[in-house]
Amino acid sequence: DIVMTQSPDSLAVSLGERATINCKSSQSVLYSSNNKNNLAWYQQKPGQPPTVLIYWASIRKSGVPDRFSGSGSGTDFSLTISSLQAEDVAVYYCQQFYSTPWTFGQGTKVEI
Amino acid sequence: QVQLQESGPGLVKPSQTLSLTCTVSGGSISSGAYFWTWIRQHPGKGLEWIGYIFYNGNTYYNPSLKSRITMSIDTSKNQFSLRVTSVTAADTAVYYCARARGPTDYWGQGTLVTVSS
């Protein structure tokens, strides 16, 4: 199984400041045939299911605010919230869908 | 807009079988483009991917659960289902059904299943 490790486990950021979450996979999730990283980022607010923010490591889902961005390739990835808003308080997960079983990171809790 | 809704008992006794159904609306489950997926979340914990079923009945189960898992699909009802046998307290979790095409883009609201006598 590919192990996904996020850092930090929790993060406190002031409103309007930048938040960066890291995700490292135990092996590359770059699919060489199409040069796409099979990695997604999800946001989960209390009592709600996760929602996808970013896929293919850096493609923002339609409707997701542009303060959210994803970067990285191979085994090292980041999710950045450029200017934290109150509604961004949530737990964020990375997930690889390169190989089964698809696996998630342990989650990073973002607080104000 | 695709919507998914889990249904099933919220309480299951130890050693019995957990059965959940996911009803899909706003899109056909017969589309060959998607993996119909189950994911669970233990209380206060992270996400555990259980497996998926394809429209033609092909399945992939997480090896950690494979011996106790069965998934099925009913295209006539636009539903897919999960069975987990021989449950213990460790199977207490919120169970989500979801649609995946690479990333998991639509999720049900989740249903809490508690294993307790």
Side-chain angles (χ1 to χ4, degrees):
Chain A
D1 298 5
I2 296 178
V3 177
M4 308 298 289
T5 304
Q6 292 181 226
S7 61
D9 289 334
S10 64
L11 186 60
V13 178
S14 300
L15 288 173
E17 296 298 305
R18 176 184 299 259
T20 300
I21 301 167
N22 300 304
C23 175
K24 188 173 184 67
S25 57
S26 60
Q27 64 188 76
S28 176
V29 298
L30 176 63
Y31 196 46
S32 56
S33 65
N34 60 9
N35 203 38
K36 287 185 176 180
N37 288 283
N38 287 17
L39 181 115
W41 288 97
Y42 301 85
Q43 176 191 66
Q44 186 178 31
K45 297 182 179 180
Q48 296 183 21
T51 59
V52 62
L53 298 173
I54 303 282
Y55 56 95
W56 307 128
S58 61
I59 305 299
R60 195 181 307 114
K61 185 181 178 183
S62 175
V64 171
D66 61 7
R67 62 180 180 273
F68 290 94
S69 63
S71 63
S73 184
T75 61
D76 293 279
F77 302 91
S78 295
L79 173 70
T80 298
I81 310 172
S82 61
S83 177
L84 192 77
Q85 305 300 303
E87 61 266 32
D88 301 334
V89 169
V91 179
Y92 293 84
Y93 295 93
C94 61
Q95 182 211 22
Q96 65 82 19
F97 47 92
Y98 176 84
S99 69
T100 49
W102 297 344
T103 46
F104 293 90
Q106 79 275 20
T108 295
K109 186 174 186 179
V110 174
E111 301 171 302
I112 305 284
Chain B
Q1 175 80 344
V2 173
Q3 293 185 312
L4 298 96
Q5 179 65 59
E6 305 87 354
S7 58
L11 180 64
V12 181
K13 288 182 167 52
S15 79
Q16 294 191 344
T17 297
L18 178 164
S19 296
L20 296 173
T21 296
C22 182
T23 301
V24 179
S25 58
S28 173
I29 202 170
S30 299
S31 167
Y34 304 107
F35 301 93
W36 302 100
T37 302
W38 289 96
I39 294 162
R40 70 181 184 180
Q41 187 168 34
H42 295 102
K45 302 297 184 183
L47 300 164
E48 180 180 22
W49 188 81
I50 299 172
Y52 63 65
I53 186 165
F54 210 44
Y55 77 103
N56 60 2
N58 287 348
T59 55
Y60 181 88
Y61 304 147
N62 192 323
S64 66
L65 296 164
K66 186 175 182 179
S67 62
R68 299 192 295 124
I69 296 292
T70 304
M71 295 183 189
S72 59
I73 193 163
D74 187 337
T75 54
S76 67
K77 294 181 179 179
N78 230 35
Q79 295 177 333
F80 62 106
S81 299
L82 171 71
R83 283 168 48 93
V84 183
T85 60
S86 305
V87 297
T88 69
D91 294 307
T92 293
V94 174
Y95 286 77
Y96 295 102
C97 62
R99 187 188 84 169
R101 185 180 185 179
T104 304
D105 56 357
Y106 287 97
W107 299 64
Q109 283 300 306
T111 187
L112 174 63
V113 178
T114 302
V115 178
S116 175
S117 56

